[in-house]
Amino acid sequence: MTLDTILKEITAGLTGNSKDDLAYLKSQMGKYKDHELSQEILRACGRLMYDLIPDNKKKELENLIENDAKGTEATIKEIRFNVFEGNIEKAFKLSEALVSKIEKAPMFENDTASEYYSFNELFQEILYVYYNKPKRDIRAATIPYAEIFYIHGNLLFELKRLPEAREYLKKALRWNPASCKIAFEYIETFKASKDYDEFFELTKEQFKYAYRREDVARCYRNLGFYFVEKEEYSVAAGCLLSSLLYEADNKMAQSELYYIQEKAPNYDKPTPELLDKYSEQYGYPVRACETVVGLSGAYSKKALEDGENDIAAYFLEIYCGLTEDEETIAILEQLIDKNNKE
């Protein structure tokens, strides 16, 4: 039977008596616990059971969930504080315990009906959906898996436990595949292991999720590093100059350019024509990803038409950051001023 048929059969057996229905649903969960669609069936039964719980019991359950979420948040803050203080070992022990806890009791696993993620921003979800065209519903996991695994992977990286760091950063990306913060740390593990070709390919892929100026700049800096290692100094300089267009005061890019000038003073100075040539030759964009720019512009226009000024400002900020279009910046400034007055 299909999932829809099974669920219709289960709901047909409900009587309207809460006590009897709770017992009935528990028996159905036992009946289907080994079924190939068990996850979906058990979740559906769980939702039906929740509707039958008295309001005072719902409140107790909500409080338990809220308290657990607050405990997780407090632990994350404590880990970050210890990192700030330089207590890496203590931070790692806390992180290790938190990871162990959530891995022992996995929740929000994907099923045939839903996919669960921990996106930080609306645009991350939009980009993921646009590129991957998921056929299942996208749902938010209430546990911040991406952040937890990212922190743990980062600490493992600090402790020079590279294979484990890569493993946990990859887990973090499973929960938020659109996060540049996580992706750059994951990509850095390949740089650390001197797997520069993988470092290069992953960086090129990351442009499609780079929607903040500093993230586009980081992509170009990574490419600049790669081409310096390959002693392709003109290409490297072009990438680093592109990076500075998005983050003008970045010391690392400036330092790399100085190194190139000292190492190969007679390198071919990048021109617009050369930048286009290198972009086509090596397969990276000559500027911020056109898809990202186009989507941010389209969503800002739609939000403006719908009178959703806060959302429009959000998308316009992204669009303006990537294009520096003066006309659009003026619209954004007017919108921010209007929102502040309301």
Side-chain angles (χ1 to χ4, degrees), residues 79 83 87-88 91-93 95-96 150-161 165:
I79 293 167
V83 170
N87 301 323
I88 301 300
F92 179 73
K93 286 179 181 177
S95 178
E96 192 172 38
Y150 167 74
I151 291 170
H152 195 59
N154 210 349
L155 286 166
L156 285 162
F157 190 91
E158 288 294 317
L159 294 169
K160 304 190 186 309
R161 293 164 59 173

Side-chain angles (χ1 to χ4, degrees), residues 94-113:
L94 290 166
S95 178
E96 192 172 38
L98 181 58
V99 164
S100 177
K101 174 187 170 185
I102 65 170
E103 287 189 323
K104 283 178 182 175
M107 297 174 66
F108 305 105
E109 292 298 325
N110 294 344
D111 56 41
T112 58

Side-chain angles (χ1 to χ4, degrees), residues 118-125 146-147 176 179 181-182 211 314:
S118 301
F119 295 117
N120 294 328
E121 288 190 36
L122 172 60
F123 201 48
Q124 288 179 345
E125 182 174 343
E147 185 71 4
N176 189 350
S179 168
K181 179 180 77 170
I182 297 170
Y211 62 92
Y314 168 74

Side-chain angles (χ1 to χ4, degrees), residues 143-277:
I143 296 172
Y145 288 110
E147 185 71 4
I148 292 168
F149 288 133
Y150 167 74
I151 291 170
H152 195 59
N154 210 349
L155 286 166
L156 285 162
F157 190 91
E158 288 294 317
L159 294 169
K160 304 190 186 309
R161 293 164 59 173
L162 202 56
E164 294 167 277
R166 187 176 296 164
E167 175 192 348
Y168 277 97
L169 290 166
K170 192 171 184 177
K171 286 183 178 183
L173 281 172
R174 174 263 173 268
W175 290 99
N176 189 350
S179 168
C180 281
K181 179 180 77 170
I182 297 170
F184 285 135
E185 194 70 11
Y186 176 69
I187 292 168
E188 200 70 12
T189 66
F190 293 94
K191 178 181 176 182
S193 62
K194 300 189 184 303
D195 186 351
Y196 296 135
D197 289 338
E198 187 67 11
F199 172 80
F200 176 62
E201 293 301 327
L202 289 172
T203 294
K204 288 195 294 181
E205 278 292 304
Q206 200 53 36
F207 274 99
K208 70 181 184 181
Y209 284 120
Y211 62 92
R212 300 290 183 191
R213 293 179 66 84
E214 60 270 22
D215 294 330
V216 179
R218 175 75 177 268
C219 285
Y220 281 120
R221 282 203 307 278
N222 277 6
L223 296 183
F225 171 86
Y226 171 81
F227 286 115
V228 166
E229 288 297 313
K230 296 293 183 181
E231 298 185 352
E232 296 280 355
Y233 294 117
S234 179
V235 191
C239 291
L240 292 165
L241 289 169
S242 294
S243 175
L244 290 170
L245 289 176
Y246 292 93
E247 200 172 19
D249 59 350
N250 188 273
K251 303 300 181 189
M252 291 177 66
Q254 293 168 356
S255 177
E256 283 287 279
L257 281 169
Y258 179 78
Y259 171 81
I260 292 170
Q261 184 62 44
E262 291 294 304
K263 183 75 175 177
N266 297 320
Y267 74 93
D268 291 334
K269 301 301 186 286
T271 62
E273 292 75 23
L274 276 178
L275 291 178
D276 287 338
K277 175 189 171 184

